[in-house]
Amino acid sequence: MSNESVFSKFENQKTIDISNIDILKEEFDKLLDLDIKSVEELKEFVEKRDVISKHLVNNWCETYFLMTTDVADEKKKKNNEFVDEFITPIESEYGDKLDKKFLSSPYISELGEDFDIYITNLKRKTELFCEENIDVRKKIDKLSSEITEIQGKLLVDWEGKRVPPPEVYPHFKSTDREIRKRAYEAVLNADLSVYEEINQRFDELIQLRVQLAKNSKMESFTKYAFKDMQRSDWDETHCFEFHKAVKEHIVPIHKKLRKKRKESLKLDKLRPYDLSVDYLGREPLYLYKKENVEEFIEGTGKIIKAIDEELYSFFKDIRENDLLDLVSRENKAPGGFMLMYPIYEKASVFYNGVGLASDLQVLLHELGHCFHYYLGKDVRPYALQDWCAEVAESGSMSMEFIGLEHAQEYLSKEDCKRIKEDRLKGVVGLLVWCSQVDEFQHWLYANADHSQSEREDKWKELRLEYGGDDVDMTGYLEKSAKVDWQFMHILQMPFYYIDYAISEILALSVWDKYKEDPKNGLKYYKDGCRLAASKSVKEIYQAFGTTLSFGDEVLRPLAKRLEEELL
């Protein structure tokens, strides 16, 4: 999916030309001018607003997706900049006016409990809004897009060629230690070539985010971000408890697995380029060649079909509409994600695949997001389809595990066993990494005037606290501290990371239910996804068959389970 033609067949489904500023303002003004005289008319107001909101989300996702497919394409870049610079500010300005119009209506008390979460969310939103932040957010969006472009254009010198970083990642898994070392150094040097550009922008982003909080009369950006992310069921203290529990219960397992790795590979000491190779010394597990990505898609489809016909119908809709952009190439933005297009009622997946077995986990994850959207797309009002972060990752993380139960539809029994073992080990690594990243982010904004060198020192300090002392970083420590944290979530999505850990705990619960009784486990999965964001986070987690909990009371027994299964 690298050009606009993929969306052209859906164009006739649009009823508003969002790209025309005058038309957009006119639509908003019509809503503001409505004279609401009954609860029925208030509901009509919400429905009409939903139509505009869907067009805005659809337009943002479309322009952003196309920009990420080719960051060197000036037309796509300008289209995305137009949304950030002109459309989003208009949406923010009118959005606050419409929120206040709705909340001031005497009829909201007659809407019923289906609107409770909607009303609560709008109240929080209006409390945060201030006009000065419209321009601040424009600056944030501009800097964020610049970082995406810088990282998307990054090339690595490898074997006499300049290639995108994902092309080198497979060599991190080579059984030849010298190749691993060269690959690690090549990517590290490429990252270092742009770290100053990114650092400069990140310094600006931190101060702009602090300004957001000040303008909204919030005590700190952390509190602002939590309120903006609709985190009402838990707060920063729960994060600190999570950090402590991870260090106490999960880090020791992480270190034991590292020790086991060192012994299995017969190494005197682990180096940073020894952490991705198979600990038994097996060659990297490839599933497909980039030019044969359709075979990979077909194989994944078999897995989904074995899980459920309804989910398979969603998968077919995505595939048949050419909404899968899965392989790495030059000038493609880094990372992987899904986006939804509410006007078309479609979803897409973006990823930088290179053929490794880990690509399957990523595709299952992103498809899980897509299934979450499809299952919840009938929730009304439309704003209640907008998942908060710890809900957003529940459908995706759970699908990674459910999919593994049917991987033999596509892969050999031996390969399935290896992938499942790696995924379970990944639970340990993910919890440790999420905690380290989250603690780092809390430090960043609690000490917003820190210098770049202080930032790097803090990263090195946390690396040791999370068990990094068992890896010999001689010659690499200072360099890695400059770039290891420079990825999308820290740079562009502050505080969106602990959610992967929270959802991983949920996903393990869903997986256990699915293994015990697939029909019942799938029901929990679908019931949770169908709620979208229409209930509280606690209620949504209950629908998934679990509870919202990620402190000592959960991590202590989980650590015992992981140790028994992995060591």
Side-chain angles (χ1 to χ4, degrees), residues 546-559:
T546 187
T547 57
L548 176 64
S549 182
F550 50 98
D552 187 90
E553 70 284 353
V554 171
L555 293 182
R556 184 185 296 272
L558 177 57

Side-chain angles (χ1 to χ4, degrees), residues 33-82:
D33 292 340
L34 282 178
D35 186 14
I36 300 170
K37 299 177 180 179
S38 68
V39 68
E40 287 75 21
E41 289 182 356
L42 183 59
K43 288 179 180 178
E44 288 177 14
F45 168 83
V46 173
E47 289 172 2
K48 289 177 179 178
R49 184 178 182 181
D50 281 355
V51 173
I52 301 175
S53 296
K54 286 183 177 181
H55 278 81
L56 286 164
V57 170
N58 204 97
N59 185 60
W60 184 89
C61 289
E62 194 171 321
T63 54
Y64 179 77
F65 199 108
L66 290 170
M67 182 272 291
T68 58
T69 62
D70 186 355
V71 296
D73 188 306
E74 283 300 315
K75 180 182 178 182
K76 292 175 183 177
K77 177 182 174 181
K78 289 185 182 302
N79 287 342
N80 189 67
E81 288 175 347
F82 179 80

Side-chain angles (χ1 to χ4, degrees), residues 42 180 194 274 309 313 347 427 459 508 515:
L42 183 59
R180 296 200 302 272
V194 296
D274 296 323
E309 282 295 335
S313 71
V427 174
W459 184 256
L508 287 167
K515 287 188 291 184

Side-chain angles (χ1 to χ4, degrees), residues 419-430:
I419 291 172
K420 188 177 288 189
E421 181 185 353
D422 285 345
R423 183 61 186 87
L424 200 56
K425 286 179 184 173
V427 174
V428 177
L430 182 139

Side-chain angles (χ1 to χ4, degrees), residues 18 107-108 123 146 156 181 183 210 226 281 287 304 317 319 330 368 372 407 410 463 477-478 500 540 544 552 566:
I18 292 295
Y107 303 106
I108 61 171
K123 286 179 178 178
E146 288 174 3
V156 180
K181 179 183 178 183
V210 169
F226 271 53
L287 303 186
I304 303 302
D317 190 48
R319 183 184 184 185
E330 191 171 333
H372 201 161
Y410 171 33
R463 176 186 164 273
L477 183 60
E478 300 301 325
Y500 290 104
I540 293 170
F544 275 106
D552 187 90
L566 295 173

